[in-house]
Amino acid sequence: MSTMPRKIVLLVLVAVVGLLAAAGAVPPQGSGRAYDAVRAEAERYYAEKSFARAHALYEEAAKLKLSDEETRWVAFRLADTTWRADAASADGDLSKREAARLALEESIKSGDWIAAEANESLGDYYATHPQLMNPYEARRYYNAALDWWAGSDDVPRARRRYLAIVWRMAEHPHRYPVDRQVLVNAVKIADTPQDRARAQFLLASQLAAERTPVSLERAHELFAEIVREGKKTEWYDDALYLWATTLDDYPKALELLRRLVAEHAKSESEWVDDAQRAIDEILATSVKVGAPQTFLPDSEQEILLGWRNAKQIELTLYAIDLTRDAHWDDRKNWIETIATSGKPVTRRWMYDTNDTGDHRPGHTAIRVTPKLPMGAYLLTARSGKGSARMLLVVTDAHILVHSAGGRAHLFVSDVETGEPIAGASVRITSGLYVNGKTVTHEENGKTNADGFVDLPTSGGSLLVTAAAGARQAYHATWAY
């Protein structure tokens, strides 16, 4: 019997072993076939994200005698590793990755498991390549891969691949939405507490974001299932926090938030500080007050009042002069600069909220009766440590501002008729950020017979106020 065929086989194996040694590989294992050894070593490099080295090995594998399926797998992996190596150090040459994309498009035509792999690769290509980052295009390919694995008879492998794709889609930096049915499927097929909790949390988060009664009810059921598992899964604290912050039942929310804080050190959960702030916010007494701010004389006047943990709210109206009392301040809203000390109280009254003590925020609209006469007023609302304020102006005056070339050209008029208001006191206060600090500036003047006044400005933020007796107005703007 001739020894020539044996020598040929030995020479081929020696050549392959030499190739693997040059690439830092280990000797062939398993069946001993050259292709099996090359593929195993290439996949090891692939798992380590050494895509260029994996590509070089698959180029050598392509030269071997392969079955049809092996040929298609090698062609797929060559295209896959081409774009992944390019993504790791992308250059301006588009031809290689475009050729790889076309090869992957060709691979998906087979409709088998290699097609599923190619679809997943194209999903990764569009989602992660730094020159693309197009998660919406990626979604089409990911969904095709998911559909194939959903129909696979190899249940353990299909489960593993399906969930891996779902995790990748859900945790993309762009946070684009995963199809609802995909998440429902993930919850159904997850077979470990960790994977099940992860899928449940993704689905619950999506449902909670919809904010409908039905979606919130289902989201809270999923959060409850995760919480029942306790610290056995890493999604326990996430579920506690998101469940609590989407509840309208504030005593229940407090229970969940306190549980999170009590059971986790800051090093164990990113939500500890947020949970404590949420607890403080639920328990704190707070009031809010708002209105359109400006009312025409004789029009109906209404304020909007909000509160939490407040049985009674004291409301006080102070008469003010905008040209004297309001100032520009870069550290806070200019309405906060209006002092109340020494100001005459126009009106003061108490509002009973009928708060039930369940920490639920309340709100109401209050009609101002009797109506306030023309003028500018500061309204304050107080309850315990909670306070708020707002400006309320009853006027028919208006300020038109044109700023250019370091000058502000101002026109004060009747807002309904356009008639000029002569002799109105006008003040501009401004703030400009220069060399790391804010420089404030103030200018005063009076409108002429035509309602005009021209004043210098330093640029930056401007607060323009005007008063002609009780007729007052303001305008906040920016000058260049």
Side-chain angles (χ1 to χ4, degrees):
M1 179 173 164
S2 173
T3 58
M4 185 61 69
R6 206 172 193 184
K7 288 181 180 178
I8 293 173
V9 171
L10 286 171
L11 287 172
V12 170
L13 288 173
V14 168
V16 171
V17 170
L19 173 66
L20 295 178
V26 296
Q29 299 176 7
S31 66
R33 286 187 61 216
Y35 168 71
D36 293 337
V38 173
R39 175 175 174 172
E41 190 65 6
E43 288 301 305
R44 184 174 72 80
Y45 282 125
Y46 188 93
E48 296 172 356
K49 301 187 184 302
S50 297
F51 300 117
R53 301 188 78 173
H55 185 88
L57 287 169
Y58 271 115
E59 283 182 324
E60 293 303 321
K63 301 172 185 177
L64 302 174
K65 183 175 178 60
L66 305 172
S67 68
D68 176 65
E69 185 177 71
E70 290 168 344
T71 299
R72 289 190 295 109
W73 171 258
V74 169
F76 155 69
R77 257 312 185 232
L78 285 171
D80 179 65
T81 52
T82 293
W83 81 255
R84 292 187 190 276
D86 178 75
S89 57
D91 57 34
D93 183 7
L94 307 180
S95 59
K96 286 184 179 180
R97 64 173 176 266
E98 179 60 16
R101 183 190 67 79
L102 292 173
L104 290 170
E105 292 283 1
E106 187 65 27
S107 291
I108 66 178
K109 293 178 181 179
S110 65
D112 61 0
W113 68 275
I114 296 177
E117 296 279 359
N119 272 309
E120 183 176 346
S121 178
L122 282 165
D124 289 346
Y125 173 70
Y126 283 105
T128 66
H129 196 291
Q131 300 299 320
L132 298 169
M133 297 296 284
N134 184 349
Y136 293 95
E137 184 67 14
R139 185 177 180 179
R140 176 163 67 94
Y141 293 102
Y142 281 143
N143 284 341
L146 289 168
D147 286 344
W148 195 90
W149 290 116
S152 172
D153 293 332
D154 186 349
V155 175
R157 184 184 182 197
R159 176 187 291 111
R160 185 175 66 254
R161 299 309 301 277
Y162 195 99
L163 292 177
I165 296 171
V166 172
W167 307 153
R168 206 173 314 143
M169 294 173 73
E171 293 169 8
H172 189 275
H174 289 184
R175 297 289 184 185
Y176 65 99
V178 181
D179 290 352
R180 176 66 49 78
Q181 190 56 50
V182 168
L183 294 179
V184 171
N185 291 344
V187 171
K188 288 180 179 178
I189 67 173
D191 63 345
T192 67
Q194 186 74 9
D195 282 347
R196 189 178 306 109
R198 189 176 188 179
Q200 288 171 330
F201 184 78
L202 290 172
L203 178 57
S205 299
Q206 190 181 94
L207 289 164
E210 292 181 3
R211 303 297 299 180
T212 67
V214 173
S215 67
L216 282 171
E217 181 180 6
R218 178 57 183 145
H220 294 160
E221 290 172 353
L222 290 165
F223 287 138
E225 290 182 34
I226 300 169
V227 168
R228 274 196 291 272
E229 292 290 330
K231 282 190 167 184
K232 287 189 291 184
T233 78
E234 64 181 274
W235 304 96
Y236 173 57
D237 61 321
D238 303 274
L240 281 171
Y241 184 75
L242 199 54
W243 185 8
T245 54
T246 55
L247 280 171
D248 286 332
D249 181 346
Y250 294 100
K252 177 65 174 177
L254 277 174
E255 174 196 328
L256 295 171
L257 292 167
R258 284 169 171 158
R259 183 171 171 180
L260 193 161
V261 171
E263 297 181 12
H264 297 84
K266 290 184 180 182
S267 59
E268 295 177 309
S269 172
E270 64 180 302
W271 301 115
V272 172
D273 287 338
D274 291 321
Q276 187 58 59
R277 280 191 290 269
I279 291 169
D280 295 341
E281 182 180 339
I282 292 172
L283 295 177
T285 298
S286 62
V287 293
K288 295 179 181 178
V289 64
Q293 292 191 346
T294 303
F295 299 92
L296 285 169
D298 299 322
S299 65
E300 295 297 328
Q301 300 162 6
E302 188 175 74
I303 60 175
L304 303 176
L305 188 63
W307 64 88
R308 190 177 213 167
N309 303 316
K311 297 288 187 183
Q312 280 192 325
I313 301 173
E314 180 189 77
L315 297 164
T316 307
L317 280 162
Y318 299 90
I320 61 172
D321 185 326
L322 290 172
T323 59
R324 289 198 310 263
D325 300 326
H327 304 274
W328 188 90
D329 192 317
D330 67 308
R331 296 163 299 178
K332 56 188 174 183
N333 187 301
W334 64 268
I335 296 175
E336 297 296 324
T337 69
I338 301 173
T340 57
S341 178
K343 293 285 186 300
V345 174
T346 301
R347 193 176 302 171
R348 176 174 285 144
W349 72 105
M350 301 296 293
Y351 179 79
D352 291 318
T353 66
N354 297 315
D355 186 81
T356 61
D358 61 358
H359 311 296
R360 184 177 299 278
H363 58 86
T364 190
I366 300 175
R367 189 64 58 87
V368 180
T369 55
K371 295 176 184 176
L372 294 167
M374 190 178 295
Y377 305 89
L378 180 70
L379 174 64
T380 65
R382 300 180 187 279
S383 180
K385 294 182 178 180
S387 65
R389 57 169 52 194
M390 62 159 286
L391 182 68
L392 195 156
V393 182
V394 182
T395 190
D396 60 0
H398 173 258
I399 304 172
L400 182 65
V401 180
H402 175 259
S403 177
R407 308 288 298 182
H409 312 287
L410 311 171
F411 176 58
V412 183
S413 65
D414 186 301
V415 72
E416 294 186 288
T417 67
E419 294 180 3
I421 299 176
S425 297
V426 177
R427 185 178 68 174
I428 297 177
T429 58
S430 61
L432 186 64
Y433 198 69
V434 178
N435 296 327
K437 62 169 61 176
T438 301
V439 179
T440 58
H441 185 74
E442 183 176 308
E443 292 289 342
N444 292 275
K446 280 188 178 292
T447 58
N448 62 20
D450 295 320
F452 286 98
V453 64
D454 185 72
L455 296 172
T457 69
S458 60
S461 299
L462 302 183
L463 174 61
V464 184
T465 55
R471 303 174 82 182
Q472 301 189 54
Y474 70 94
H475 187 89
T477 187
W478 179 271
Y480 296 92

